[in-house]
Amino acid sequence: RQEAGELLEELEEGLADRILETLKTLKNSYPGELVNRYVHSLQTASRAHRDGRDEEYVVCALLHDIGDTVGSMNHPDIAAAILKPFVSEQNLWTVQHHGIFQGYYFFHYLGLDRNMREAFKDSPNYQYTAQFCHLYDQSAFDPDYESEPLDFFVPMVERLFAQPKNSIYLKAMQA
């Protein structure tokens, strides 16, 4: 019988690779757009990296839309669920709420309230998330932008997903 910690380690092995493979499925998203969500993700992460953001932030930027193909109506929740055990509360909040904050740039074209994000104006993460969308997310639809290739980000993703910070399984993994 396998120890719980060993079993969890086996499950964690290859996690970064599985996440990166899932990210690649975004290549097939939004045909007809100037850039697909995969290119958008690389642009968002490249912009954050070139702006000097830390590695955790850059990986969050890379993966913020990872749920788009399987949960187009709630993709931020999917990305947040994947990242939750591995990132800070601030970065998690940003990923989880970026869809509403990003709406500032296009909701009015859909007949929605572009200021929907104002419901969160008292959050300590409001400005941080608004800045993520303004500087990196909304500007990452440029077909002429030269992003870093995915291979550039692979070591960052591997490091981030190597050790959870917050998980109900941490105790078993440390036993």
Side-chain angles (χ1 to χ4, degrees):
R1 184 168 182 273
Q2 210 171 15
E3 293 293 320
E6 291 173 10
L7 179 60
L8 289 169
E9 283 180 29
E10 283 182 24
L11 291 173
E12 285 296 303
E13 197 172 302
L15 177 61
D17 292 334
R18 292 190 303 274
I19 289 168
L20 291 166
E21 286 304 312
T22 302
L23 182 69
K24 291 176 188 175
T25 67
L26 296 179
K27 289 178 181 179
N28 301 319
S29 64
Y30 298 94
E33 293 288 322
L34 291 175
V35 299
N36 60 40
R37 286 298 184 264
Y38 176 76
V39 171
H40 167 73
S41 297
L42 292 174
Q43 279 190 29
T44 305
S46 294
R47 290 171 186 277
H49 179 265
R50 291 172 184 163
D51 204 25
R53 296 296 181 153
D54 66 37
E55 197 165 277
E56 180 181 297
Y57 190 102
V58 171
V59 173
C60 286
L62 180 68
L63 301 179
H64 76 283
D65 280 343
I66 196 167
D68 237 11
T69 56
V70 295
S72 55
M73 296 296 152
N74 68 329
H75 78 275
D77 297 323
I78 294 168
I82 292 168
L83 288 161
K84 184 177 182 176
F86 302 95
V87 300
S88 69
E89 185 62 37
Q90 187 175 44
N91 283 331
L92 177 66
W93 199 95
T94 294
V95 171
Q96 191 167 19
H97 292 85
H98 84 272
I100 291 171
F101 278 69
Q102 185 66 3
Y104 177 79
Y105 300 97
F106 70 92
F107 278 178
H108 54 291
Y109 296 117
L110 304 174
L112 299 172
D113 180 6
R114 74 184 299 194
N115 293 308
M116 204 180 294
R117 69 187 188 175
E118 293 305 307
F120 302 100
K121 68 180 180 214
D122 294 329
S123 169
N125 299 311
Y126 180 93
Q127 286 300 332
Y128 189 78
T129 305
Q131 185 181 60
F132 167 78
C133 290
H134 177 72
L135 294 177
Y136 311 118
D137 195 5
Q138 68 88 25
S139 62
F141 295 95
D142 181 353
D144 298 320
Y145 185 80
E146 290 192 32
S147 299
E148 298 294 343
L150 181 60
D151 287 345
F152 177 82
F153 299 106
V154 168
M156 295 180 206
V157 173
E158 290 172 341
R159 284 189 291 271
L160 184 80
F161 287 99
Q163 181 61 49
K165 294 179 179 183
N166 178 29
S167 171
I168 60 172
Y169 302 112
L170 273 178
K171 185 177 179 182
M173 293 174 75
Q174 295 167 347

